[in-house]
Amino acid sequence: MSEANDAAKAIEAEYAAAEQPPALDTDAGTEDVGLMAVPATLAGLPATAQGHFAVVNANGTLARGFGVVSSARLALGQYQVVFIQSVVRSAYTATIGLTGSVGASPPGEIAVVGRAGNANGVFVQTWNSAGAPADRAFHLHISS
């Protein structure tokens, strides 16, 4: 096994062992919002499957979105995004990107996973190209 593979596995293990910070209670008062959403079932997605998205500024504020309730910066390079329905059985896709329609985004890395403590949320982490946590604007898509 190469040294690069060993280093990559060590970094992956370090992040896998890290715990997420506590969930924010930012979806309070949105109990009725999910009534119009159709959640996925154990048998698969319904014919009315939905795609939700969020475009989030580097400071954690929501630039725009569909089916998104809130977004917040938790710490350097850590974000929480909450949607109108459970996203536990959904697919998450995220990319570093500016929130406007023009310009060049700073380079970096991004990871997204379900949010511990909130079935409607996802946890996003961003880093610079050197692998250090860094605040980065991003685009997030949820297929439910």
Side-chain angles (χ1 to χ4, degrees), residues 5-105:
N5 285 342
D6 290 342
K9 286 188 178 196
I11 290 170
E12 185 177 323
E14 175 184 336
Y15 287 116
E19 292 186 30
Q20 296 179 11
L24 299 176
D25 186 20
T26 57
D27 59 342
T30 61
E31 297 82 18
D32 296 332
V33 175
L35 293 178
M36 295 184 294
V38 180
T41 67
L42 292 177
L45 295 176
T48 56
Q50 299 180 21
H52 301 304
F53 77 90
V55 179
V56 179
N57 294 300
N59 66 2
T61 59
L62 184 65
R64 62 188 174 278
F66 177 78
V68 62
V69 174
S70 65
S71 65
R73 179 183 177 273
L74 304 173
L76 181 64
Q78 295 184 352
Y79 304 88
Q80 171 179 290
V81 182
V82 178
F83 291 89
I84 62 172
Q85 69 185 51
S86 173
V87 295
V88 170
R89 298 186 56 83
S90 300
Y92 319 124
T93 307
T95 186
I96 300 288
L98 296 178
T99 57
S101 59
V102 296
S105 179

